Amino acid sequence: MNTNSTLLTSFLIALLVFTLSFAPHHSIHTSASTTDTMLAGQSLTGNQTLVSKDGIFELGFFTPGNSKNYYIGIWFKQVAAVQKKKFIVWVANRNKPISADDSSSSEFKLLENGHLVLLISMKTNYSSKVSVWSTDSSTSKTINDTSANAVLDYDGNLIVTSSSNGNIIWQSFDHPTHGVLPGGKFGYNNLTKKGYKLTAWKNSEDPSEGIYSAELGLDKSFRLTWNHSLEYYTSGVWNGRYFSNIPEMQVGNEIASSFEYKSYENGEYFTYSLSHKTLPLFAYLDTSGQMKITVWQVQTPDWIVVWAKPMLKCQVYGVCGAFSVCGENNVGLSICQCLSGFEQHYPKDWGLLDYSGGCLRRNSLKCGEKIDFQRCLT
């Protein structure tokens, strides 16, 4: 194991043990008015939510940051109460936001055919609804009766089942967005020849698909790519215990979690689990292009990044965009700086930690025979 891996391993041991020692051990109770289940024909509107029975997860409408768009998502309920903001782990309509004008008429509904839909009122006929998002496109299973129910499970998985036979019609763990919760799946489908792709948010206020993605391949390794094409990191192949380029997973296996690579009839998937079930932890692809594992630390209280690949943000391809340079020690929040003579192309995006738009020239070139090259560029 090289020096960097040894240091990271030691850091993981110390931080995970410290975090676990401060994890809450008291019982969690939800109020009598909350529920984890939505029956066929029922819907959520406004501030109504589903809450898992253990009180850890919550599902409902949310607006990221200062955005005026609305989405259906899942977050850690208790963490949101402490931080006064939602740490989102799954988004339904990430590419189809609901505007503020449509928010009052929107509803998240379970139809009698077993499909979940997000509805808003039509502009021409307020009493009629149109679908913005639906599980119909992601599954062919329907039950065509009133026995369907949707449950937000204790592990954060939203599951639609038939009450009559218990068959799963659809579940969010089969359709991850930007990350994977403990018990979730990161896999490959042999029928479609595609993996369960994770795609980073565009920025901190826009959960739509950004330029960075992660996908599991047939060679049992996962890759991080820029613009869905250029690979900038690989985990190495699964050797039965860990991915070859992530030897520190052996430490995690003994301390906090177990890792498994499972094969089934139509494919295979990687999953992990925690020994401390109530510890909020999330593995996700950040807007920075880094794959991260974050743990909620009660003592701080805040999220702590315990693992990241690539280890440095500047090792991510294209993180700063055109005509800018990346520096881990740059002054201020931004790791990116424009070259001399250039300015931020989209300053608002930079404020949201999205530097991919890069920089553009502050003044147009006015080069002539009597102007030297350096002055011409700046």
Side-chain angles (χ1 to χ4, degrees):
M1 186 180 294
N2 59 35
T3 302
N4 288 338
S5 295
T6 303
L7 290 174
L8 183 57
T9 297
S10 300
F11 172 73
L12 279 170
I13 294 174
L15 188 54
L16 281 174
V17 171
F18 176 79
T19 304
L20 285 169
S21 67
F22 285 103
H25 299 287
H26 56 273
S27 298
I28 302 172
H29 299 283
T30 57
S31 65
S33 61
T34 61
T35 179
D36 65 338
T37 304
M38 186 164 56
L39 303 178
Q42 293 183 334
S43 60
L44 300 178
T45 60
N47 294 325
Q48 294 177 332
T49 62
L50 296 181
V51 178
S52 59
K53 283 186 177 179
D54 53 13
I56 295 177
F57 294 98
E58 187 169 25
L59 175 147
F61 289 93
F62 76 97
T63 55
N66 294 319
S67 171
K68 297 186 183 301
N69 291 327
Y70 287 76
Y71 303 85
I72 281 287
I74 298 174
W75 57 87
F76 290 99
K77 178 177 172 60
Q78 287 190 315
V79 173
V82 174
Q83 279 201 315
K84 306 303 179 184
K85 62 180 180 180
K86 300 176 176 66
F87 187 87
I88 306 299
V89 297
W90 182 81
V91 189
N93 57 315
R94 64 183 306 188
N95 294 315
K96 296 181 178 180
I98 296 174
S99 67
D101 293 337
D102 292 323
S103 62
S104 60
S105 68
S106 60
E107 60 176 319
F108 186 59
K109 187 173 185 178
L110 178 61
L111 302 180
E112 293 183 356
N113 62 6
H115 293 308
L116 289 166
V117 293
L118 183 55
L119 304 170
I120 59 173
S121 295
M122 295 180 63
K123 301 295 184 183
T124 56
N125 185 355
Y126 191 80
S127 62
S128 298
K129 299 279 188 175
V130 60
S131 174
V132 174
W133 174 90
S134 172
T135 58
D136 185 32
S137 60
S138 59
T139 178
S140 59
K141 296 179 180 179
T142 57
I143 55 177
N144 295 317
D145 60 32
T146 58
S147 66
N149 63 69
V151 176
L152 182 59
D153 208 1
Y154 70 94
D155 54 5
N157 188 16
L158 178 61
I159 309 173
V160 181
T161 61
S162 171
S163 298
S164 59
N165 55 29
N167 289 338
I168 294 178
I169 301 170
W170 180 92
Q171 57 181 337
S172 60
F173 272 9
D174 286 339
H175 305 276
T177 52
H178 63 296
V180 181
L181 286 166
K185 299 176 182 179
F186 184 45
Y188 188 89
N189 190 311
N190 290 330
L191 297 179
T192 62
K193 303 300 180 184
K194 293 182 179 179
Y196 296 178
K197 183 177 290 186
L198 306 179
T199 309
W201 285 29
K202 187 174 181 181
N203 59 53
S204 60
E205 293 185 351
D206 186 353
S208 64
E209 295 181 354
I211 58 175
Y212 296 110
S213 58
E215 193 169 7
L216 197 67
L218 276 175
D219 62 349
K220 296 186 177 182
S221 70
F222 74 84
R223 298 178 174 85
L224 304 183
T225 58
W226 172 84
N227 205 24
H228 304 286
S229 58
L230 194 150
E231 178 186 314
Y232 62 90
Y233 173 80
T234 178
S235 67
V237 298
W238 177 258
N239 63 15
R241 292 187 300 154
Y242 56 89
F243 292 107
S244 59
N245 290 342
I246 316 178
E248 58 267 25
M249 288 177 67
Q250 299 174 88
V251 177
N253 193 40
E254 297 173 3
I255 300 273
S257 59
S258 62
F259 307 103
E260 295 182 89
Y261 201 104
K262 298 183 177 181
S263 297
Y264 64 107
E265 182 180 0
N266 295 326
E268 51 197 31
Y269 63 89
F270 170 77
T271 187
Y272 69 104
S273 59
L274 293 179
S275 56
H276 197 290
K277 300 298 183 182
T278 61
L279 177 68
L281 180 147
F282 188 48
Y284 70 105
L285 186 58
D286 189 33
T287 56
S288 65
Q290 291 176 294
M291 194 72 189
K292 294 180 176 180
I293 296 179
T294 58
V295 179
W296 175 251
Q297 189 181 46
V298 177
Q299 188 73 0
T300 311
D302 203 357
W303 289 99
I304 303 296
V305 178
V306 297
W307 180 87
K309 291 290 184 177
M311 290 184 64
L312 301 178
K313 293 180 180 179
C314 290
Q315 293 175 329
V316 175
Y317 183 84
V319 66
C320 288
F323 303 112
S324 61
V325 292
C326 187
E328 300 287 341
N329 297 320
N330 283 347
V331 178
L333 293 176
S334 175
I335 61 169
C336 303
Q337 290 184 345
C338 294
L339 296 174
S340 177
F342 291 78
E343 60 187 8
Q344 298 170 9
H345 197 175
Y346 304 107
K348 182 180 178 181
D349 289 348
W350 281 53
L352 299 174
L353 308 183
D354 175 15
Y355 316 110
S356 60
C359 306
L360 74 168
R361 192 174 298 279
R362 186 177 293 113
N363 300 309
S364 59
L365 289 176
K366 296 180 180 179
C367 300
E369 294 181 359
K370 296 182 179 181
I371 301 178
D372 63 63
F373 181 72
Q374 178 64 29
R375 289 179 60 196
C376 175
L377 289 181
T378 58

